[in-house]
Amino acid sequence: ARCTFADIGCQVPLSHANLGSHLEECTQGHLMLLMRAVLDQRDVTQALQTRIADLEAENRELKAAREADKKALEYHKADAAKVLGAITNQVGTIEARVVVAEKKSVQDVKDLKKFHEDGVGKVHKRAEDLEKEAKKRHEVHQQHHSAVVDALKGELAGLKTSLSELRGSGTEAAARA
């Protein structure tokens, strides 16, 4: 047989016949075992309560940090939207400038052709001089407008790259959230 208090530390070997007398004789010892078990349980309970309090405090801190991160993300999203809007406006402005520059270039070519055609009926020498001048002006204008158009296209490409990078950053930030 086994003592009723074996689970809390009583290790006395028993038979069924002497179990009753053992319980009467060892009451004080059994009470000491019970007291030790109660004190151990109290220590475990206090340690667990301390651990729960620590975890609750850590949880509050993590929640506060998460809320701060959410607010920061929202701020950065709004800021990125503003920057994206500004870049989009700049892209539109540059595209409009490119269109105007191309139209001006075409008009200059038309004007030069008309000027050339008007001079044909004049004296042969004057016509040759005007033709040379028109060609030079045409080349200069063409080179100038090509340079302007190329510069504007380069600037547009740079802004589009920046726009793509900003969109990519916004996606990464959203993914981290």
Side-chain angles (χ1 to χ4, degrees):
R2 191 171 167 231
C3 176
T4 310
F5 295 93
D7 287 336
I8 59 167
C10 183
Q11 298 176 353
V12 175
L14 298 173
S15 64
H16 282 291
N18 64 0
L19 179 62
S21 65
H22 166 73
L23 290 175
E24 283 185 32
E25 291 171 5
C26 295
T27 301
Q28 187 174 8
H30 289 153
L31 286 175
M32 293 299 287
L33 290 173
L34 279 172
M35 183 60 151
R36 189 179 75 213
V38 167
L39 292 175
D40 288 347
Q41 287 295 317
R42 183 193 67 191
D43 292 344
V44 168
T45 301
Q46 286 175 345
L48 290 174
Q49 286 174 338
T50 300
R51 179 70 178 137
I52 288 170
D54 291 346
L55 289 172
E56 286 175 343
E58 185 179 341
N59 186 38
R60 282 189 300 276
E61 289 173 11
L62 290 172
K63 281 182 179 179
R66 189 181 78 201
E67 286 302 314
D69 287 346
K70 274 183 177 180
K71 288 179 182 177
L73 179 62
E74 289 301 318
Y75 171 79
H76 289 300
K77 280 172 61 177
D79 194 39
K82 289 176 188 176
V83 170
L84 180 62
I87 289 174
T88 301
N89 287 340
Q90 286 179 345
V91 167
T93 299
I94 290 171
E95 286 174 340
R97 287 173 57 192
V98 167
V99 167
V100 168
E102 286 175 345
K103 286 180 180 178
K104 184 172 180 355
S105 179
V106 168
Q107 185 60 44
D108 286 347
V109 169
K110 286 179 182 178
D111 291 346
L112 288 172
K113 283 181 181 180
K114 184 173 181 346
F115 179 74
H116 177 68
E117 290 169 359
D118 289 346
V120 171
K122 295 184 180 182
V123 180
H124 181 63
K125 176 66 176 149
R126 179 75 177 135
E128 287 177 357
D129 292 342
L130 290 175
E131 184 178 349
K132 287 178 186 177
E133 184 181 340
K135 283 181 182 179
K136 285 180 185 176
R137 285 183 63 189
H138 175 69
E139 286 176 18
V140 168
H141 283 293
Q142 196 68 12
Q143 287 173 353
H144 173 72
H145 290 296
S146 292
V148 169
V149 168
D150 288 344
L152 288 173
K153 285 181 180 177
E155 188 177 341
L156 177 61
L159 286 172
K160 285 184 179 178
T161 300
S162 295
L163 179 61
S164 295
E165 288 172 0
L166 280 174
R167 285 184 178 153
S169 295
T171 305
E172 290 174 20
R176 283 184 268 153

